[in-house]
Amino acid sequence: MSTENELFSAVDALLEQVAQDDLPDPAERKRLREAAGLSQAQIATALDARREAVGNWETGRTEPRPPKRAAYARLLEGLAARFPTPAADAPAAAPASVVPEAFTGPAPEPTPAPAAVPQSPPTKEASSTARPSTTSRRPGAKKAAARTTTAAAADPRFENGPLAVVDADADGQVSAYCVGGLVLDVPAKTIPALVDWTLAEARLGQARLHRNGRDADPILMLTAAALERFGLPVALSEEERHASRLPAGHKVVKQIERAGLKMSQRGFGPWARVYRDPEGSRRRCVQLCILPWNALEVREWGKKDDPELLLTMHPAELVQYLGLYADRVITPRGSTATTGLELMTALRPPTRAQKDEATGEFKSAFNDDAITAKYDVVPCEVPDEHPILKDAGFARHHERTPAEMLMEEPYDWCRPLTDEECVNKYLVVVDLNMSFAAAANGLTVGLNGPTHLTGNPAFDAALPGSWLVDLSHVDLSRVRINGRTVDGTLLPSPFTPRGERPEGPAWYATPTVAYAVELGFDVAPIEAYVRTQSGRYLDAWYKRLRDAYIATMADMGVTTDLTEQEFLEAMGRRKQVDPTMALLETAIKATAKGAIGKLRQRSRGQVPYYEPYPALERWTWRPDIRAAVLASQRTGLHRKLLKTAAAADLYPVAIGTDAIVYPSPGPSPLDVLPYTEEGKPVPGGFRLGVSPGMVKHQGTQTTLWAESQFEERGCVFNIANLIKM
């Protein structure tokens, strides 16, 4: 005869079977718990589960399995008896939130780009206690209940998002945390098996941003625990760090070779590209981002005052952050500068498929609005170590003059305060939002190689390039703007980064010379290097970054419809509203700034002076485009300075790149920026707001502080770089 315990066990087994289909929907599970005043941790303790698992049950990401399922069903049944569903006329319970609990701002708006957009990023409650199985998806797990754009829904190849964070627990169980809260079991035990699993089962990647572009490779971010699980060192040796890769004899490198996989020339380093030969036009490539090897630079992707942040973030939080970056910008490709440069190419691919009318077959053709080849360079546009200068006759450490080198750089200018300005109690700094990206908007740049013009060519503002011209005759000491005279001696020259008046012939980019013409002065170029094929190559790049920045700021409560006072208050508290979004803001701004600098990347000491270095092999190594953007940024800023001075007799005392210091009677930008009689910002001047090109408050200091700095250091420093919030 069966014992009582055996009978109870049999009954429990029946209850477990009955309980397979009687759970309330996920939203009701959460409602019942909150109605009872219970936390997810309390329920997890009672059921001997993890808090993250309970969170997954409440969002529908996973389902409880026996024996916990029956106990969870009994708990919910008891709570339902005590807290019945509200009256039928009450609004129905909302489905699981598509915005992670870590996001306290409004739900992000989907970007208008044609790319596949991954599902909403996850919360901390995005893991599971289920043991790995032979299948990728956890048993009983559902797809993330999160928003999916039409593009993503139409492309099942990338249904799990653009990237995943691969982590291992104490038992060696490997999981891949994906966007949308999905957690996949990873059955692979080696790096080659991990790559093959990603290509065959993971459904990771991102659809092309342009119809003529190519899909993004799946990205796997490996944590320290995952490195140990796959036989990789958590930290590189000094020799390996110097080489930025594992040695060829490392066991993992040998495993990759034996499996028939290939790697790029940079080998297995912080960003390793492992691939098999393509199948037709389909790439079979996986990018591995090794987090403990400093694959994500802290100053760009993290926080300078918390260098371990990216290594200590929970995988679900990290994939939330990077997944949203991929959603709004592009999947990370290394540094933010490299990623920003890749974004340019992704939005303006060099080639397209064109049908041959004679044969009916498709062949590759170049796009008219893209950079399609590596062109010859111009001596005046290249940095000092470039191979083209090897036989130019310069000494090893010769400092080239403006007549020998194109020196288009942002402002670094400072002057002493006048006696009248010292009456003001404060110095207020306003900062241009994403100034380099804003300067690129609508800018015409060269797309082909240079044409050398000699014999005093006539200046043509429609031809992008570099012009050797003497602007020393341009006198801005007394300039009339809108019928008012401006004291130009209190403003920097728009033609030099240090704000000094030119002393003779010098090389300038087209926007700088065009600004001299705009101010009413004659220009007589001596020679020029121009590009006859041009276009607004950076427009799509700017719009993508602009939309990403505005959406991210809106998630922190900084929207475009705020009043100026509301904007200042929202900016002051935004980083406390959502720290993850604050990281995203930093990454987006670094992407815009770094990509422009990458157009003229200098040697990192990889090769001797005057020898070719790797960056020069890129089609997108275009110092002339960088110079045009910086010239546009500097002259555009000077244009605003003139309008502000004419409207209010207000002059800056320092400028550091895009930060402008004004003497002010009060500590707020509202105390100093001029307005019309109708209370609106001066047309063409500085305007507070979140959009690129508008300004925000960077910081305030007292005039006494500035005077003490001048007495201590003289004018060899720039106070604009010292005044921060």
Side-chain angles (χ1 to χ4, degrees):
M1 182 177 294
S2 300
T3 64
E4 182 177 354
N5 287 338
E6 290 173 340
L7 291 173
F8 281 174
S9 297
V11 170
D12 286 342
L14 288 174
L15 286 173
E16 289 174 10
Q17 295 177 17
V18 173
Q20 297 306 305
D21 299 312
D22 63 355
L23 289 179
D25 63 70
E28 178 66 6
R29 301 170 199 174
K30 182 178 180 180
R31 186 194 71 80
L32 290 172
R33 176 182 60 79
E34 294 178 342
L38 298 174
S39 67
Q40 291 177 347
Q42 288 175 299
I43 293 179
T45 301
L47 300 179
D48 192 23
R50 295 176 61 189
R51 179 181 62 82
E52 291 86 354
V54 177
N56 283 341
W57 301 343
E58 291 185 356
T59 59
R61 294 168 184 154
T62 61
E63 291 292 317
R65 297 183 298 169
K68 294 181 176 63
R69 186 179 181 91
Y72 188 45
R74 181 175 297 182
L75 170 64
L76 295 177
E77 182 180 358
L79 294 178
R82 291 193 180 191
F83 307 98
T85 304
D89 57 0
S97 173
V98 300
V99 181
E101 292 182 7
F103 287 10
T104 57
E109 293 292 332
T111 57
V117 183
Q119 296 170 335
S120 226
T123 64
K124 294 181 182 179
E125 304 165 2
S127 61
S128 171
T129 57
R131 300 182 65 83
S133 67
T134 57
T135 60
S136 295
R137 193 175 301 281
R138 295 189 184 280
K142 295 182 179 180
K143 297 217 176 41
R147 66 180 173 91
T148 306
T149 66
T150 303
D155 197 339
R157 297 174 301 160
F158 312 127
E159 64 176 335
N160 293 334
L163 52 85
V165 176
V166 179
D167 191 32
D169 61 19
D171 297 328
Q173 301 168 7
V174 182
S175 301
Y177 292 79
C178 306
V179 296
L182 185 66
V183 183
L184 301 177
D185 286 324
V186 180
K189 294 181 172 57
T190 64
I191 290 295
L194 176 65
V195 171
D196 286 336
W197 170 83
T198 304
L199 294 173
E201 297 186 44
R203 296 184 182 273
L204 294 172
Q206 188 177 40
R208 63 198 68 186
L209 298 183
H210 188 282
R211 67 181 182 276
N212 295 323
R214 69 184 186 192
D215 300 327
D217 298 326
I219 308 288
L220 297 182
M221 310 277 180
L222 272 59
T223 65
L227 294 184
E228 294 179 345
R229 180 66 182 83
F230 291 115
L232 290 165
V234 175
L236 296 175
S237 66
E238 183 176 351
E239 182 180 352
E240 291 167 346
R241 283 198 306 271
H242 181 72
S244 194
R245 68 178 70 188
L246 292 178
H250 192 277
K251 64 178 183 179
V252 171
V253 177
K254 291 183 177 179
Q255 287 174 355
I256 293 173
E257 293 172 349
R258 286 197 300 268
L261 291 163
K262 300 178 181 179
M263 291 185 293
S264 62
Q265 292 183 352
R266 61 188 177 189
F268 201 101
W271 280 89
R273 188 163 68 89
V274 185
Y275 63 95
R276 293 194 181 278
D277 290 333
E279 289 182 344
S281 61
R282 176 175 171 264
R283 284 165 58 92
R284 296 190 295 168
C285 178
V286 176
Q287 301 231 18
L288 302 177
C289 170
I290 315 300
L291 296 170
W293 297 357
N294 198 33
L296 298 179
E297 170 60 43
V298 170
R299 292 171 297 178
E300 302 171 348
W301 298 100
K303 296 173 64 176
K304 290 185 292 185
D305 56 351
D306 189 2
E308 299 296 317
L309 175 63
L310 297 176
L311 300 179
T312 57
M313 288 179 72
H314 190 281
E317 291 181 307
L318 185 59
V319 79
Q320 162 190 318
Y321 162 37
L322 298 175
L324 194 55
Y325 178 91
D327 178 356
R328 294 180 176 176
V329 183
I330 195 173
T331 51
R333 310 293 174 88
S335 67
T336 52
T338 298
T339 304
L341 202 64
E342 288 290 328
L343 180 62
M344 292 182 190
T345 305
L347 294 169
R348 288 284 188 268
T351 60
R352 58 185 171 85
Q354 184 177 34
K355 187 175 183 179
D356 189 328
E357 297 299 335
T359 63
E361 297 180 354
F362 284 91
K363 60 181 181 180
S364 179
F366 290 119
N367 284 318
D368 294 334
D369 60 353
I371 298 174
T372 57
K374 185 178 73 170
Y375 297 105
D376 293 336
V377 295
V378 175
C380 70
E381 295 174 350
V382 301
D384 293 335
E385 68 274 15
H386 196 281
I388 199 175
L389 300 179
K390 185 174 184 178
D391 300 322
F394 296 134
R396 174 66 171 78
H397 296 288
H398 172 72
E399 185 174 342
R400 289 191 286 167
T401 66
E404 299 168 332
M405 178 181 182
L406 180 66
M407 296 183 179
E408 294 287 11
E409 300 292 340
Y411 271 128
D412 183 11
W413 169 81
C414 186
R415 65 170 175 82
L417 280 73
T418 66
D419 292 340
E420 293 79 6
E421 290 169 339
C422 288
V423 175
N424 292 283
K425 187 176 180 180
Y426 298 98
L427 294 179
V428 173
V429 185
V430 292
D431 177 77
L432 285 166
N433 299 324
M434 296 185 69
S435 64
F436 296 129
N441 183 33
L443 180 66
T444 299
V445 299
L447 299 178
N448 63 344
T451 298
H452 192 193
L453 304 180
T454 58
N456 302 105
F459 174 69
D460 186 350
L463 289 176
S466 302
W467 304 79
L468 181 62
V469 58
D470 189 352
L471 298 179
S472 60
H473 67 284
V474 177
D475 184 8
L476 297 178
S477 59
R478 309 297 290 177
V479 183
R480 292 191 63 80
I481 301 293
N482 297 332
R484 298 186 180 183
T485 301
V486 173
D487 186 355
T489 61
L490 297 178
L491 291 174
S493 167
F495 309 124
T496 61
R498 301 291 295 181
E500 302 162 344
R501 184 170 174 173
E503 297 180 351
W507 286 100
Y508 301 100
T510 297
T512 301
V513 185
Y515 187 55
V517 175
E518 177 186 328
L519 292 174
F521 296 93
D522 295 328
V523 296
I526 302 169
E527 62 175 311
Y529 290 93
V530 298
R531 278 77 182 175
T532 55
Q533 180 186 348
S534 62
R536 294 167 61 161
Y537 175 72
L538 298 173
D539 274 11
W541 176 83
Y542 160 75
K543 292 174 183 176
R544 179 81 172 174
L545 291 172
R546 176 202 62 192
D547 293 345
Y549 178 74
I550 290 178
T552 301
M553 298 302 288
D555 287 337
M556 292 186 286
V558 187
T559 58
T560 57
D561 59 350
L562 298 177
T563 66
E564 292 184 326
Q565 182 60 46
E566 291 171 340
F567 167 73
L568 293 174
E569 294 171 356
M571 286 294 293
R573 62 174 179 266
R574 73 187 190 285
K575 293 185 178 180
Q576 288 71 42
V577 168
D578 194 327
T580 299
M581 285 298 178
L583 291 178
L584 187 58
E585 176 197 352
T586 300
I588 292 171
K589 292 192 294 186
T591 301
K593 184 176 181 179
I596 298 301
K598 197 83 170 175
L599 293 168
R600 184 182 174 262
Q601 181 177 338
R602 304 194 65 172
S603 173
R604 298 173 180 171
Q606 306 105 312
V607 296
Y609 224 68
Y610 296 141
E611 293 298 323
Y613 52 94
L616 302 182
E617 296 301 315
R618 286 192 280 103
W619 290 6
T620 49
W621 195 84
R622 291 294 300 270
D624 58 302
I625 296 180
R626 172 189 178 271
V629 173
L630 297 188
S632 176
Q633 188 267 355
R634 194 186 62 251
T635 55
L637 175 54
H638 191 273
R639 190 179 290 110
K640 291 178 181 291
L641 296 175
L642 281 178
K643 295 290 181 65
T644 302
D649 198 29
L650 181 64
Y651 298 88
V653 297
I655 304 173
T657 305
D658 49 16
I660 307 99
V661 184
Y662 276 115
S664 170
S668 169
L670 296 176
D671 297 320
V672 62
L673 294 182
Y675 295 84
T676 64
E677 295 180 356
E678 294 77 18
K680 297 181 179 180
V682 170
F686 299 105
R687 181 176 180 179
L688 288 168
V690 69
S691 298
M694 300 175 77
V695 297
K696 58 182 179 292
H697 186 202
Q698 176 171 295
T700 299
Q701 266 292 359
T702 64
T703 304
L704 291 177
W705 170 87
E707 287 297 319
S708 66
Q709 295 294 318
F710 282 123
E711 291 177 4
E712 179 181 348
R713 308 187 191 190
C715 290
V716 297
F717 76 106
N718 192 337
I719 59 174
N721 301 324
L722 302 179
I723 305 176
K724 305 288 184 181
M725 290 285 282

